[in-house]
Amino acid sequence: MEQRSKNNIPLRQKLLLVLAWLLLSLLAGVTAQYQAKQQQQSQLLEESQRLQRSIQHELDRFRNFPKVLAIQQQLSEPLSLNVTSQRRHALNLYLQHVNDLQGSDVTYLLDPSGTTLASSNWQSARSFVGSNYSYRPYFQTAILGKYGQYFALGSRSGIRGYYFSAPVKIQQRVVGVIVVKVALNIIDKSWRDPNFEYLLTDKHGVVFYASQAHWLYRSIKALPESLRQQLINSRQYGEHQLKNMAQDLRPNSINLPNYGGQRVDYISTNRVLPTAGWRLYALSKDSGYIGDIAEALFLSSLFYLGLVLLYLYWRQLQLSRAMQAQANHQLEERVTQRTAELTQSNQQLQQAIDDYRRTANTLKKTEDELVQAAKLATLGELSAGINHELNQPLTAMQSYAENALRFQQKQQHEQVTLNLQDIIKLTSMMSKMIAKFKIFSRKSSGQTSAVSSAVSINAALSILANRIVANNIKIEFSGQDEQWVKADAIQLEQVLINLINNAIDALEGIQSPLLGIRQYQQDNWQCIAIWDNGPMLSEEQQQRIFEPFFTTKKQGLGLGMAISKRLIESFEGELSVSNLADIGPEFVIRLRTHTPPANS
């Protein structure tokens, strides 16, 4: 208790540390918010300057184009003479050629009444030829002998464009107007940063270019009704009603609707394009800079935590020096006490180990006996078939012996010899048959080695041959002919007999019964799959089939599958079950590959 009280920090110091952390966090948060806002304003300014330069360059590129065209003889001659169809066609081709060279949207020539005589889009379905544009300000300015410029939606195409116009004169008399329409596609191409938005408005505040389509042709400030009606009547923006959409318009912020109509606050910067009289707004969502503030709080807290840890380390170092002597003395006492406890614990542990070894030996012996009992139980199930297999040759031997006596009495020694040879063959066959069951019934050594899977499968099938034949079961082999696996030959044979015997039971009453054995390699496993076309196993049966005392048979202890799984796992293998689609259940034995013996 005394040591713990020395290590505790006084409450007053704790309060001072917390207060210092709060002040540092407040300072870091305010500084981070200010810096993030300044950085965002700087980025908006840079982006707006770049877009302004692109727009200005695009406008300057076409500004003098109509002035140059206006003094071309190809334009003034048709206006001074009657415009024949041949002259009109030649003029259309000329305007199309110069328009393609310059890269403008449309170039067209108006007569003094504002009617289009020729146009570069004369072949288009939206050709300007024949249309009257006397109501457009760019015509009204140029017909008075001045150079005009104007932004509007095309009355036929509905495409936004900036119009440059120049008067066509003959001897200082205005005889027509040449107009160049610029599509200003450079605006959409120049705005690169998806984190920012932009608005481009005319001098009245009407949006005619924007990064969000739902902001177009709406005003960011309330328009006087007379002005709004005047803009609508001029068809500068088509049929759009130019409704106000902005709220809280300030020098550095604006509130605008999103697609769903919800209001969103934006940080903004704006600048005037002096040549066109437009105003460009660069916008960014006002997120409150939570991420920047959180990062600053994290870093400042991390820094402060480092200082606190340094202080605590220094404080602890002072305390540890004072406590070291006392600790050494206590340690010596504890070492003496602990040594005695460890000696006693060691004796108890040794006793527990001896008990565990005796229990493990007993368990292993019991397990081996259980495996042997299961094997003998399998032989008991097969006893009827064994009797049948032995009775047939015994009956034949008796018949051959009786015939041999009769042939002996008749002095037909050659026939006697043949009958005795047949008896010898039957005796040999019975001996081999009994040897198979004798080998199967003996106890296993429990040692794994290289085992031929083909030999084990053939041995199992030969023991169960009588049941297979009696049930008219067709055997289907596939895959590899032979594999060498790590196993105990007798125990592997026992597992195969269990699986095949269960399959034979499941095939009782099945039309065209089929039992399949497939050998294949999967990764580092050698696999033996045994399947049949009997009833499918339910999900519960698949989960419980390897549980001790669980059985699907009317008679049986339910130990065969549990023992089989235990034996395969003792070989470091796996035994699993699943249903083959449209066929029946399949049991798969997976065993480690083993190098075959040299004499194989």
Side-chain angles (χ1 to χ4, degrees):
M1 294 298 294
E2 182 181 355
Q3 179 179 347
R4 183 177 300 177
S5 63
K6 289 181 180 179
N7 290 334
N8 286 340
I9 301 175
L11 179 60
R12 183 177 179 181
Q13 289 189 17
K14 289 182 179 177
L15 292 177
L16 288 175
L17 290 174
V18 172
L19 180 60
W21 173 71
L22 291 175
L23 291 175
L24 179 63
S25 298
L26 178 61
L27 178 62
V30 171
T31 304
Q33 184 179 27
Y34 174 78
Q35 291 179 345
K37 190 171 184 178
Q38 289 298 110
Q39 182 180 5
Q40 191 172 31
Q41 288 282 3
S42 176
Q43 291 175 343
L44 284 173
L45 182 61
E46 180 182 349
E47 192 69 15
S48 64
Q49 288 175 341
R50 188 182 57 77
L51 183 58
Q52 179 190 14
R53 289 194 296 268
S54 298
I55 296 173
Q56 197 65 50
H57 177 269
E58 187 76 357
L59 293 177
D60 291 342
R61 192 163 69 92
F62 293 99
R63 188 175 307 281
N64 295 317
F65 185 35
K67 298 178 183 178
V68 174
L69 287 178
I71 62 176
Q72 302 300 312
Q73 187 176 0
Q74 289 95 325
L75 299 185
S76 58
E77 281 186 355
L79 292 170
S80 63
L81 303 171
N82 292 328
V83 183
T84 64
S85 59
Q86 184 176 2
R87 287 179 178 274
R88 187 188 302 273
H89 180 66
L91 189 55
N92 282 330
L93 292 176
Y94 173 71
L95 292 179
Q96 181 181 359
H97 176 67
V98 297
N99 186 77
D100 291 342
L101 287 177
Q102 187 65 16
S104 51
D105 188 31
V106 186
T107 303
Y108 52 105
L109 178 66
L110 307 178
D111 66 11
S113 66
T115 302
T116 305
L117 294 178
S119 175
S120 62
N121 66 351
W122 62 278
Q123 290 181 310
S124 169
R126 297 176 177 177
S127 171
F128 291 180
V129 176
S131 298
N132 187 281
Y133 298 106
S134 60
Y135 62 90
R136 291 294 198 187
Y138 61 76
F139 171 79
Q140 298 169 3
T141 300
I143 201 66
L144 296 177
K146 301 178 181 179
Y147 298 110
Q149 56 185 26
Y150 184 66
F151 178 85
L153 288 177
S155 60
R156 292 183 61 83
S157 65
I159 299 174
R160 295 169 292 188
Y162 199 80
Y163 299 81
F164 292 101
S165 62
V168 180
K169 299 179 180 180
I170 298 179
Q171 297 179 352
Q172 302 302 317
R173 182 172 61 89
V174 178
V175 296
V177 174
I178 185 71
V179 184
V180 176
K181 179 183 178 183
V182 182
L184 292 181
N185 295 326
I186 191 68
I187 296 177
D188 294 325
K189 296 177 181 178
S190 298
W191 196 260
R192 303 169 185 170
D193 196 328
N195 296 318
F196 298 141
E197 309 289 349
Y198 73 88
L199 298 174
L200 195 58
T201 70
D202 63 11
K203 62 184 179 181
H204 305 299
V206 177
V207 179
F208 58 87
Y209 266 98
S211 56
Q212 300 290 338
H214 61 281
W215 292 339
L216 290 173
Y217 314 120
R218 301 176 72 179
S219 174
I220 62 171
K221 56 185 178 182
L223 297 175
E225 184 58 29
S226 58
L227 175 60
R228 190 175 72 87
Q229 199 60 47
Q230 178 183 347
L231 293 174
I232 293 174
N233 293 338
S234 70
R235 290 185 285 176
Q236 181 178 0
Y237 300 111
E239 302 298 328
H240 297 284
Q241 297 302 307
L242 311 180
K243 295 181 180 180
N244 180 33
M245 66 171 175
Q247 294 180 1
D248 299 330
L249 179 60
R250 299 177 183 176
N252 294 322
S253 66
I254 187 173
N255 182 277
L256 296 171
N258 59 16
Y259 279 108
Q262 297 174 337
R263 310 300 301 190
V264 178
D265 289 325
Y266 290 91
I267 295 172
S268 70
T269 181
N270 64 86
R271 55 196 310 106
V272 175
L273 278 67
T275 303
W278 298 339
R279 186 172 292 274
L280 174 63
Y281 290 83
L283 312 173
S284 178
K285 286 184 180 179
D286 188 356
S287 61
Y289 311 103
I290 295 176
D292 298 284
I293 295 174
E295 182 179 0
L297 290 178
F298 173 76
L299 293 176
S300 63
S301 298
L302 195 63
F303 172 73
Y304 184 72
L305 178 61
L307 292 179
V308 171
L309 291 176
L310 186 62
Y311 164 72
L312 293 177
Y313 171 75
W314 174 82
R315 187 173 180 273
Q316 182 63 32
L317 187 63
Q318 299 301 316
L319 291 173
S320 62
R321 289 175 180 174
M323 295 164 55
Q324 188 172 6
Q326 181 181 358
N328 289 337
H329 177 70
Q330 293 177 350
L331 181 60
E332 291 177 0
E333 293 181 350
R334 289 179 181 177
V335 167
T336 303
Q337 180 182 358
R338 190 59 177 162
T339 301
E341 292 175 355
L342 288 175
T343 301
Q344 183 180 359
S345 298
N346 186 45
Q347 294 174 352
Q348 294 174 351
L349 179 61
Q350 187 61 45
Q351 181 64 35
I353 291 173
D354 293 340
D355 293 342
Y356 170 77
R357 287 174 178 171
R358 287 193 294 270
T359 302
N361 291 334
T362 303
L363 181 61
K364 183 64 172 64
K365 183 178 180 181
T366 303
E367 184 182 88
D368 292 342
E369 291 175 354
L370 182 60
V371 170
Q372 186 65 16
K375 188 185 301 183
L376 295 177
T378 302
L379 287 176
E381 294 178 7
L382 300 174
S383 60
I386 296 172
N387 291 336
H388 179 72
E389 288 193 53
L390 292 178
N391 280 332
Q392 284 183 332
L394 284 173
T395 303
M397 288 171 63
Q398 182 178 1
S399 177
Y400 282 133
E402 292 174 351
N403 288 338
L405 287 175
R406 286 194 295 270
F407 287 136
Q408 178 68 28
Q409 292 172 357
K410 296 178 181 181
Q411 300 297 315
Q412 297 179 2
H413 300 293
E414 183 178 351
Q415 292 297 329
V416 172
T417 302
L418 292 175
N419 281 0
L420 291 176
Q421 290 175 348
D422 289 335
I423 291 172
I424 292 172
K425 291 179 182 179
L426 290 172
T427 302
S428 176
M429 182 183 70
M430 291 176 63
S431 176
K432 291 179 181 179
M433 188 185 309
I434 293 171
K436 288 188 299 182
F437 290 102
K438 182 178 179 181
I439 293 172
F440 175 68
S441 63
R442 73 187 181 188
K443 284 190 176 182
S444 169
S445 65
Q447 300 296 321
T448 59
S449 60
V451 176
S452 170
S453 59
V455 172
S456 297
I457 292 171
N458 290 333
L461 290 175
S462 64
I463 290 176
L464 296 170
N466 186 61
R467 292 203 67 198
I468 293 172
V469 174
N471 288 277
N472 295 317
I473 297 174
K474 180 182 178 182
I475 305 296
E476 181 177 297
F477 294 95
S478 61
Q480 299 174 337
D481 294 333
E482 185 177 41
Q483 302 176 141
W484 287 91
V485 297
K486 179 183 178 182
D488 178 272
I490 296 175
Q491 292 181 347
L492 177 59
E493 184 180 330
Q494 180 178 353
V495 173
L496 292 170
I497 289 174
N498 285 342
L499 296 179
I500 296 172
N501 197 39
N502 286 347
I504 294 172
D505 292 337
L507 291 172
E508 289 186 5
I510 299 296
Q511 294 290 333
S512 303
L514 180 63
L515 188 148
I517 300 175
R518 179 165 58 102
Q519 296 189 81
Y520 60 95
Q521 185 171 357
Q522 185 182 65
D523 298 330
N524 294 326
W525 297 101
Q526 297 290 351
C527 303
I528 305 172
I530 298 174
W531 55 268
D532 61 76
N533 61 344
M536 296 283 189
L537 294 176
S538 67
E539 185 175 348
E540 180 186 4
Q541 289 173 335
Q542 292 182 53
Q543 293 176 352
R544 299 189 57 195
I545 196 164
F546 297 114
E547 293 181 6
F549 307 110
F550 176 80
T551 180
T552 58
K553 300 179 182 180
K554 295 180 181 180
Q555 295 181 349
L557 294 177
L559 292 175
M561 298 309 298
I563 291 174
S564 296
K565 185 174 180 62
R566 176 68 185 86
L567 291 177
I568 294 300
E569 289 176 349
S570 70
F571 308 152
E572 300 178 3
E574 296 177 0
L575 176 59
S576 61
V577 63
S578 60
N579 284 322
L580 290 177
D582 302 324
I583 299 178
E586 179 187 52
F587 290 83
V588 178
I589 300 172
R590 292 180 178 84
L591 296 171
R592 297 292 182 185
T593 302
H594 202 293
T595 304
N599 58 355
S600 64

